[in-house]
Amino acid sequence: MRRRLQMLMILKSRQTLRQKTARAIITGGICAAIIGGIISFIFYFSQSPESRASGNQITFRSWHGMNFLKSVRTMDGCIVVSDGSNFVKFDSSGNIIWSKGISQSNSLVITGICEASSGDIVAACQSTDTTGGTAQISLTRINADGSLKWSKLLHKQGSDFVYGITADVNDGVILCGGGCSANQLYMKINSDGDIVWMKDYSLNGAMGSANKIIENADGSMYVCGRLYLSGGNFISVLKADENGTIIWAKKFLDQQQPVIKTFRETADNSLLIGGTYIGGSQGSNNPFLLKTDLNGNLLWFKRYGTSSSESINDLAVTADGGAVVIGNVFINQNENVNALLFRIDANGAVLWQKSTGNSEFNGAGYDDAYSICHLTEHNYAVVGMAYWAYVCNIDENGNGFCHESPVAMSVTNVTTQSMNASYSAQGSNNFTVTDAIASVTNIFIGSSHTCESLNPTSVNEPNVEEGNGSIELFPNPNDGNFNLNYALPNDASGYLEIYDLNGEHVSSVELPAYNKSVSLHLQEMPSGVYLYQIMSGGNILKREKFVISK
């Protein structure tokens, strides 16, 4: 029988909230979908001076009745949130641009969301209904204005599940997953919702799944997953080319049962896998982080935790090669579960750690942090639940929440064996793709609850004042060598910031007041679509896309 891994439920009160958090699937004969919990997100990028309290800033906002599971920062500086059925786009000031509800006959749980290179939003979902006793994969693609482009159902003779999604360089997406009739599954979908190719790989009869995926600008991809083979648990990582053919693959023996939650390429050109051990040595959950180089060679493998129970949900990379990591931690019988935040350096050492939440509702049952993304190089938006759905704007020291409690996690090295993995491709066994019957309606978003930051923060985000000054980047497209002419208001100095398609910060260049032009030589940046923004005097003066083509 297939073994299910279930996140530890620790609540004395309002225990049903905890029971709605995600279940992860390990391997075996009976497949189960990852069923999400209540995660809500409203994006609050900046705060007007009138709404700031004296001394402290209002950086925490929450909303009643919202249920969003995933979020993505878009190339125009906005953010889209979704639970698979409802999609809301907010601008950088937290104002609603559009809010849409998409009705289908199936009940859906979102597992991933991304922005395609055209600006469309694509959501990968798991159908909680069945057809002929099998679970289905659902894909929904919406236009940049919130209108529905298409909705598809993917299914075959067995139950199969989607766990990760990433944008493709050709305006499509790539999915990864697994299931009863597939093992490590990869599938490329074009902008019309058609399957371009599908790969199903097996490792000597091992059972497992592909959980998270990163695509490079050249179309190649990194994939991490988990395997169960001959009584042993393994974490897997591989690189495949643009056609899904494996270039290299590694596996790392693990004595515990891992649930992989997040996968990022770090600023020091490494790969960082984050997740949670289910039922560790003390019978509780503990986070782990595993870091490799870009060839899959192990750099370090560490376990984090207290004598209680903690889980990782997501992470955002930092400029020093480390990361800000978020999740949840059980504090005590009074505070129950709080959101967990900690930062690591490039070697996995903890720089700071804290539990956080909403002071008004703390102790009412359950605080958690589910998703994190960059706002600027040193600021982040954290979203989750603190009785109500919330968004919190934090600085690089984790300041911004209304409530904090101390955490003292220990860090231990994990003993592992690193081995090459030899996968074999299975039969074609293609999915059947059908159009889903869907309709679109407008939905209403209510007002938010706010509270003041516990600590003074540096999250005073800039206002967007596009059109100020004269700014021109040329040529566009370019080969990584390009020029920027600028005349900033009041002859001030400024900064050029560059981000990739995933919203990750790539580079910053100072724009001194005494110059009006700079030449940039970024040959190390791969071909792809990028976003640049010009900042001066606390304002974003211009945001535009540009293309590097080699």
Side-chain angles (χ1 to χ4, degrees):
M1 299 293 290
R2 166 167 285 214
R3 298 183 298 164
R4 296 183 180 178
L5 298 183
Q6 184 176 25
M7 305 298 292
L8 185 63
M9 312 300 176
I10 308 176
L11 285 177
K12 293 292 185 180
S13 61
R14 304 182 184 267
Q15 192 170 10
T16 56
L17 287 175
R18 182 59 167 166
Q19 293 171 339
K20 291 182 180 179
T21 54
R23 294 173 181 259
I25 311 306
I26 292 291
T27 54
I30 299 177
C31 303
I34 293 181
I35 304 299
I38 299 176
I39 310 170
S40 302
F41 186 89
I42 302 291
F43 180 65
Y44 178 57
F45 189 95
S46 59
Q47 187 74 19
S48 63
E50 291 77 17
S51 63
R52 295 190 187 113
S54 176
N56 289 343
Q57 296 168 296
I58 298 177
T59 54
F60 181 99
R61 289 189 170 192
S62 60
W63 289 261
H64 180 258
M66 302 302 297
N67 295 296
F68 289 105
L69 301 176
K70 298 293 180 182
S71 62
V72 59
R73 186 186 178 192
T74 57
M75 289 180 290
D76 59 0
C78 301
I79 198 159
V80 175
V81 299
S82 179
D83 61 356
S85 298
N86 299 313
F87 294 80
V88 184
K89 184 172 184 178
F90 302 91
D91 67 14
S92 58
S93 298
N95 301 309
I96 297 173
I97 299 175
W98 49 255
S99 54
K100 305 290 183 179
I102 299 179
S103 300
Q104 294 188 25
S105 57
N106 288 353
S107 177
L108 303 176
V109 176
I110 193 169
T111 59
I113 190 171
C114 67
E115 182 187 33
S117 58
S118 63
D120 292 348
I121 301 299
V122 186
C125 301
Q126 197 64 56
S127 170
T128 56
D129 296 331
T130 60
T131 299
T134 61
Q136 299 180 84
I137 295 170
S138 172
L139 283 180
T140 299
R141 183 165 181 142
I142 61 175
N143 298 301
D145 62 1
S147 59
L148 178 65
K149 179 163 285 186
W150 48 254
S151 185
K152 307 283 186 178
L153 290 174
L154 292 77
H155 55 90
K156 56 180 180 177
Q157 71 271 20
S159 293
D160 291 285
F161 309 103
V162 58
Y163 300 130
I165 184 173
T166 188
D168 174 63
V169 294
N170 298 314
D171 200 33
V173 296
I174 303 176
L175 310 177
C176 66
C180 293
S181 58
N183 199 339
Q184 297 234 356
L185 177 67
Y186 319 107
M187 193 183 314
K188 183 173 181 177
I189 309 294
N190 66 18
S191 58
D192 295 321
D194 302 319
I195 296 175
V196 179
W197 52 254
M198 189 201 80
K199 303 288 185 179
D200 181 10
Y201 290 104
S202 177
L203 178 66
N204 297 326
M207 296 176 291
S209 58
N211 294 93
K212 300 297 175 184
I213 187 168
I214 301 169
E215 192 189 41
N216 301 309
D218 63 359
S220 64
M221 64 204 78
Y222 297 107
V223 187
C224 71
R226 56 191 175 221
L227 298 167
Y228 181 77
L229 177 65
S230 301
N233 295 289
F234 293 86
I235 296 173
S236 65
V237 61
L238 61 84
K239 184 176 183 179
D241 66 18
E242 66 275 13
N243 297 311
T245 302
I246 293 176
I247 300 172
W248 55 256
K250 301 290 181 74
K251 60 181 181 179
F252 305 95
L253 180 63
D254 203 338
Q255 300 302 319
Q256 302 296 326
Q257 296 177 340
V259 175
I260 296 172
K261 301 301 290 290
T262 184
F263 183 39
R264 298 282 187 268
E265 183 173 350
T266 59
D268 58 352
N269 297 316
S270 303
L271 301 173
L272 187 59
I273 302 171
T276 301
Y277 287 132
I278 300 300
S281 59
Q282 304 296 323
S284 58
N285 298 348
N286 290 129
F288 70 84
L289 293 169
L290 185 153
K291 191 174 188 180
T292 75
D293 64 20
L294 295 183
N295 294 311
N297 299 310
L298 181 67
L299 298 177
W300 49 259
F301 192 178
K302 296 182 184 294
R303 178 178 187 145
Y304 303 79
T306 67
S307 58
S308 185
S309 182
E310 306 83 26
S311 296
I312 280 180
N313 291 321
D314 199 6
L315 64 84
V317 299
T318 53
D320 61 357
V324 176
V325 187
I326 64 168
N328 60 73
V329 55
F330 177 76
I331 300 299
N332 53 47
Q333 297 298 327
N334 293 322
E335 296 189 35
N336 291 318
V337 174
N338 276 2
L340 171 67
L341 278 71
F342 65 98
R343 180 175 174 177
I344 61 166
D345 64 16
N347 297 313
V350 175
L351 301 178
W352 52 258
Q353 54 182 309
K354 60 180 70 177
S355 71
T356 58
N358 183 340
S359 56
E360 180 174 346
F361 294 123
N362 185 68
Y366 184 51
D367 294 353
D368 207 339
Y370 285 92
S371 178
I372 183 171
C373 64
H374 281 272
L375 301 180
T376 66
E377 183 177 359
H378 303 291
N379 299 104
Y380 310 87
V382 177
V383 298
M385 172 169 287
Y387 192 75
W388 290 355
Y390 73 82
V391 59
C392 186
N393 191 345
I394 68 168
D395 64 18
E396 59 187 353
N397 294 312
N399 296 319
F401 277 86
C402 317
H403 169 81
E404 291 184 4
S405 293
V407 177
M409 293 191 302
S410 61
V411 183
T412 57
N413 292 320
V414 176
T415 301
T416 186
Q417 297 178 37
S418 176
M419 294 166 274
N420 292 325
S422 179
Y423 287 88
S424 59
Q426 304 302 297
S428 59
N429 198 16
N430 281 329
F431 282 74
T432 299
V433 181
T434 58
D435 291 324
I437 300 174
S439 60
V440 182
T441 58
N442 293 322
I443 59 174
F444 173 73
I445 306 299
S447 59
S448 65
H449 164 84
T450 64
C451 64
E452 295 180 7
S453 169
L454 180 67
N455 297 316
T457 69
S458 57
V459 296
N460 187 3
E461 297 299 333
N463 298 315
V464 179
E465 297 185 2
E466 298 201 23
N468 291 334
S470 175
I471 299 166
E472 180 185 14
L473 185 149
F474 66 95
N476 186 13
N478 59 69
D479 61 359
N481 298 293
F482 54 93
N483 300 304
L484 180 74
N485 290 342
Y486 61 94
L488 305 182
N490 303 316
D491 290 325
S493 60
Y495 288 90
L496 163 70
E497 293 185 337
I498 299 175
Y499 296 85
D500 65 15
L501 280 176
N502 297 315
E504 300 291 348
H505 181 266
V506 174
S507 181
S508 293
V509 177
E510 185 176 2
L511 305 177
Y514 55 81
N515 265 350
K516 300 301 178 185
S517 178
V518 294
S519 295
L520 294 102
H521 306 284
L522 303 177
Q523 295 93 334
E524 73 282 0
M525 291 174 59
S527 297
V529 181
Y530 295 87
L531 174 74
Y532 79 89
Q533 66 182 22
I534 306 299
M535 300 184 64
S536 179
N539 297 318
I540 298 174
L541 303 183
K542 188 169 187 177
R543 277 195 181 112
E544 276 192 356
K545 299 176 186 177
F546 73 101
V547 176
I548 293 180
S549 178
K550 299 181 179 179

